[in-house]
Amino acid sequence: RGEVESARAKYEACLAEYPDDELVAQRAVAFFDAQGEVDRATAVLEGIFDERPDSLALRKALTDRLRALGRADEALELLKAARDQDPV
């Protein structure tokens, strides 16, 4: 239990220090998911997407997550926003 709390504190510190680092966010999302903290993992992903809205990888990850969580309307809005930013 102590190791998990220590890891959690380190991930939170890294997220605070590097709020726009995709790798830090990806690792934190994986950690929180592994702990069953889906809401926290989602919040991390939403936060990094807010910092890096032009990242297609983050947009896809967030869209997939929202859809999996039953938040299809929000996922669709993210896709529409991407289309509107770069129409084909």
Side-chain angles (χ1 to χ4, degrees):
R1 184 89 178 145
E3 290 177 10
V4 171
E5 291 306 317
S6 176
R8 178 179 285 104
K10 289 176 183 173
Y11 277 112
E12 294 291 0
C14 284
L15 288 167
E17 189 168 346
Y18 307 103
D20 64 344
D21 188 303
E22 288 186 46
L23 181 59
V24 169
Q26 290 170 353
R27 297 285 170 89
V29 167
F31 171 78
F32 290 119
D33 276 339
Q35 301 310 309
E37 298 179 37
V38 176
D39 290 343
R40 181 64 184 121
T42 302
V44 169
L45 194 49
E46 289 171 330
I48 187 69
F49 181 72
D50 287 345
E51 293 289 328
R52 313 255 334 241
D54 293 334
S55 170
L56 293 178
L58 289 173
R59 185 177 300 272
K60 181 183 181 322
L62 183 54
T63 299
D64 290 347
R65 176 172 290 268
L66 292 173
R67 192 179 58 224
L69 292 173
R71 296 166 57 183
D73 289 345
E74 292 173 73
L76 183 58
E77 289 304 315
L78 282 175
L79 293 174
K80 286 180 180 178
R83 178 200 62 204
D84 294 344
Q85 290 173 358
D86 191 19
V88 177

